[in-house]
Amino acid sequence: MGKLTLIATAPMGLEAVVARELNELGYETAVENGRVLFSGDYIDICRCNLWLRTSDRVLVKMGQFPARTFDELFEGVKAIEWQDWIPENGEFPVEGRSHKSQLTSVPACQGIVKKAIVEKLKLSYRTEWFPENGPRYVVEVILLNDTALITLDTTGPALHKRGYRRQATEAPLKETMAAALIQLSRWNGHRPLYDPCCGSGTLLIEAAMIAWNIAPGLRRSFPSEHWPEIPQRLWEEAREEAFDAVRDDYPLQLTGTDIDPAAIEIAEANAKSAGLAGEITFQAIAAAKARPQGEYGCIITNPPYGERISNDKEVEKLTRQFGEMMLYLPTWSFFAISPYKEFEQYYGRKADKRRKLYNGRIECQYYQYLGPLPPRKPQ
């Protein structure tokens, strides 16, 4: 088999961040809305599932073709060499989406795709019945502007499910978004980091994993680990490479506070689950009373809004406290994701940079207030 076309799906607004991650892993990329395309082999399916921090899933592109009618959809799917992937006992559910296309009934399209795959496999395995009690291959049909994109999902549960978060506070930040906020900031593992609204600790745990180069997928499994097409030795090789890449030989300066003691208990439990017990300092305290320590640090936070706070007056008060706190931290930088258009007014000045992001389905701005960079150490 030649090179595969792989797709790393990206939350809206994070395509460039996912592409940069792939570039740093050594892949050439092409960016589209909601996804980043790149070429790879079986080993790259393993590596990318283990290493990608901000992508949702790694897909195999199986085919793309015009599909204005059910016949075109059926024939296009049937032309794909499904027997190269799905064994005779493989389970292959079909998921679907349709946007701006003549084929608007997603259930009908799913049925057509399923039927076409079955007909193709009948020819290959010379059988009329498939038990579907073996490895799982989730097929997705995406119809956009009368073009069908057919993919296989190698990831299973989305990549934000790292496996360490045993508990969560109300409206938690996804791990993938937390990693993106860190990567879009100026922070690195040699600088202090403080989250005054740490909730279940996700931002700080993701920061620790980035600083120590811990692959985010190390603590979980993937359905493609059970695919006979991908030799088990490739998964073992990719995991061994990831274990060898960990560099935990320097102390971290990570602090999280939250006004809710129950949230702090959850954060500590999650940090322990991630193998980071004792590496992050958590404390139940109001943001207004916190005094971050050190120079040239970063505050990165997802302050409460929507379900997590009762009214705009509380948002205004908390944001003003952030602005006042930074007056006493002249060497620090401040980063916050918020949907409130008055954030800069409450904070006390315009952000140096803003970036539109979607936290779930909520349109937000990532407000960035940039302090001085640490002085360079003499060579």
Side-chain angles (χ1 to χ4, degrees):
M1 183 180 288
K3 284 281 187 181
L4 305 169
T5 298
L6 301 175
I7 299 171
T9 63
M12 193 181 304
L14 294 183
E15 292 90 347
V17 180
V18 173
R20 186 173 67 185
E21 278 197 80
L22 285 164
N23 295 155
E24 289 173 354
L25 289 170
Y27 302 100
E28 294 184 6
T29 57
V31 178
E32 298 180 358
N33 284 336
R35 53 183 174 250
V36 182
L37 281 71
F38 61 106
S39 295
D41 297 315
Y42 291 144
I43 184 64
D44 301 300
I45 291 175
C46 309
R47 291 184 70 228
C48 291
N49 272 305
L50 290 174
W51 279 105
L52 287 177
R53 300 183 189 278
T54 58
S55 174
D56 287 327
R57 282 188 168 78
V58 179
L59 311 176
V60 180
K61 181 180 177 181
M62 300 298 293
Q64 190 168 16
F65 47 86
R68 300 175 189 83
T69 66
F70 288 131
D71 283 344
E72 285 184 327
L73 179 61
F74 180 89
E75 294 300 332
V77 172
K78 189 180 176 185
I80 296 169
E81 303 298 332
W82 293 103
Q83 73 281 358
D84 291 345
W85 290 91
I86 303 175
E88 189 172 345
N89 68 338
E91 178 189 5
F92 49 103
V94 178
E95 298 179 353
R97 287 180 282 153
S98 179
H99 185 61
K100 295 182 179 178
S101 293
Q102 294 180 54
L103 299 179
T104 57
S105 172
V106 172
C109 292
Q110 290 171 270
I112 291 291
V113 170
K114 181 81 173 185
K115 183 179 178 182
I117 297 172
V118 167
E119 291 304 313
K120 182 71 172 197
L121 295 180
K122 279 182 180 180
L123 296 174
S124 300
Y125 295 119
R126 301 187 183 282
T127 182
E128 292 293 315
W129 183 75
F130 297 96
E132 295 200 51
N133 57 5
R136 183 175 173 86
Y137 298 77
V138 176
V139 179
E140 184 173 41
V141 51
I142 301 171
L143 291 155
L144 177 63
N145 295 324
D146 293 325
T147 297
L149 171 65
I150 311 296
T151 62
L152 268 184
D153 178 10
T154 73
T155 300
L159 287 172
H160 77 270
K161 296 187 177 180
R162 316 285 206 220
Y164 65 74
R165 193 156 73 180
R166 301 289 185 245
Q167 302 179 67
T169 53
E170 191 176 13
L173 188 69
K174 275 188 178 180
E175 292 87 337
T176 42
M177 177 58 76
L181 297 182
I182 295 158
Q183 293 187 37
L184 289 168
S185 77
R186 288 180 163 189
W187 182 79
N188 64 54
H190 298 285
R191 301 177 68 176
L193 175 61
Y194 170 53
D195 181 356
C197 307
C198 70
S200 52
T202 306
L203 262 165
L204 295 161
I205 294 169
E206 290 295 317
M209 293 172 70
I210 290 170
W212 280 357
N213 204 38
I214 300 171
L218 267 179
R219 291 176 172 269
R220 57 162 290 177
S221 61
F222 306 91
S224 48
E225 289 185 66
H226 306 289
W227 293 1
E229 302 76 22
I230 304 179
Q232 195 59 38
R233 63 176 175 80
L234 295 183
W235 280 103
E236 292 168 0
E237 179 184 320
R239 287 186 183 278
E240 185 175 345
E241 175 189 59
F243 277 114
D244 290 345
V246 175
R247 49 173 192 266
D248 56 357
D249 55 350
Y250 65 92
L252 301 172
Q253 306 168 73
L254 306 177
T255 305
T257 62
D258 199 285
I259 197 169
D260 182 3
I264 294 300
E265 288 184 16
I266 290 172
E268 289 175 336
N270 289 337
K272 182 178 181 180
S273 177
L276 297 165
E279 303 299 339
I280 306 170
T281 301
F282 291 108
Q283 187 179 7
I285 188 174
K289 296 182 179 180
R291 294 294 179 266
Q293 301 298 306
E295 298 290 323
Y296 302 101
C298 293
I299 293 175
I300 307 177
T301 193
N302 171 38
Y305 48 83
E307 299 172 19
R308 297 165 61 216
I309 200 162
S310 58
N311 58 59
D312 289 355
K313 283 292 182 185
E314 290 183 44
V315 173
E316 179 180 349
K317 179 181 176 182
L318 182 60
T319 309
R320 290 189 189 280
Q321 289 171 350
F322 291 150
E324 291 164 5
M325 179 192 303
M326 293 306 293
L327 294 175
Y328 299 96
L329 298 168
T331 66
W332 282 57
S333 299
F334 179 86
F335 305 85
I337 183 170
S338 176
Y340 286 98
K341 301 187 186 305
E342 299 85 3
F343 186 94
E344 291 165 307
Q345 176 187 334
Y346 299 159
Y347 184 89
R349 69 181 177 93
K350 283 193 171 295
D352 298 303
K353 289 185 178 181
R354 287 170 40 165
R355 186 186 186 111
K356 184 165 75 171
L357 297 174
Y358 285 84
N359 188 8
R361 296 185 178 182
I362 302 173
E363 182 180 322
C364 297
Q365 291 288 335
Y366 190 36
Y367 295 97
Q368 303 165 62
Y369 295 86
L370 307 178
L373 292 171
R376 291 187 178 182
K377 294 182 180 179
Q379 297 295 322

